Amino acid sequence: MDFNELKNKAAKISDETFGRANPVKAPILKLVEEIGELLECLDKNEDPQVEFADCFLLLVDAYRKYYGDDVDMQTLIDVSSEKLDIVAKRKWGTPDKNGVYKHIKDV
């Protein structure tokens, strides 16, 4: 299955289960909840693969709802690649107690 086929399968299940009018924010708010479950899974040293999939599918569904059913997922891949180029050029501070880095904003 390719990325667009996965998006279409997720769209069909999402629309049939939660309704076509389900707003774009709904999967994003559910994503916040699922990230909590992913973090809990990691804290317990449990296999997080299904939780990663939950988060990924919710993000794909929100993207599709925002840009429309015909959005080509290659666009998201391309934008992600461009974002990585931006990230690579940034200057980064030191990590906080959780290992999270923040980029140093230009003044």
Side-chain angles (χ1 to χ4, degrees), residues 17-70:
T17 304
F18 307 112
R20 183 85 183 135
N22 191 15
V24 67
K25 285 187 176 181
I28 295 170
L29 292 168
K30 180 65 176 170
L31 174 60
V32 171
E33 180 182 319
E34 290 296 335
I35 289 171
E37 291 180 18
L38 173 59
L39 289 168
E40 185 178 309
C41 188
L42 293 169
D43 286 342
K44 293 179 179 178
N45 290 317
E46 296 174 352
D47 185 355
Q49 190 161 328
V50 172
E51 298 302 335
F52 277 116
D54 280 341
C55 293
F56 177 76
L57 290 168
L58 286 162
L59 193 58
V60 166
D61 195 41
Y63 184 79
R64 186 261 319 178
K65 284 178 177 290
Y66 188 81
Y67 288 103
D69 289 336
D70 294 332

Side-chain angles (χ1 to χ4, degrees), residues 40-103:
E40 185 178 309
C41 188
L42 293 169
D43 286 342
K44 293 179 179 178
N45 290 317
E46 296 174 352
D47 185 355
Q49 190 161 328
V50 172
E51 298 302 335
F52 277 116
D54 280 341
C55 293
F56 177 76
L57 290 168
L58 286 162
L59 193 58
V60 166
D61 195 41
Y63 184 79
R64 186 261 319 178
K65 284 178 177 290
Y66 188 81
Y67 288 103
D69 289 336
D70 294 332
V71 67
D72 185 347
M73 296 308 289
Q74 184 62 46
T75 303
L76 181 58
I77 293 169
D78 294 343
V79 171
S80 297
S81 178
E82 291 168 11
K83 179 63 179 183
L84 284 172
D85 293 340
I86 292 168
V87 169
K89 293 175 184 172
R90 285 184 171 160
K91 292 183 177 157
W92 296 89
T94 55
D96 67 14
K97 66 180 180 176
N98 294 312
V100 177
Y101 288 80
K102 291 186 180 180
H103 69 88

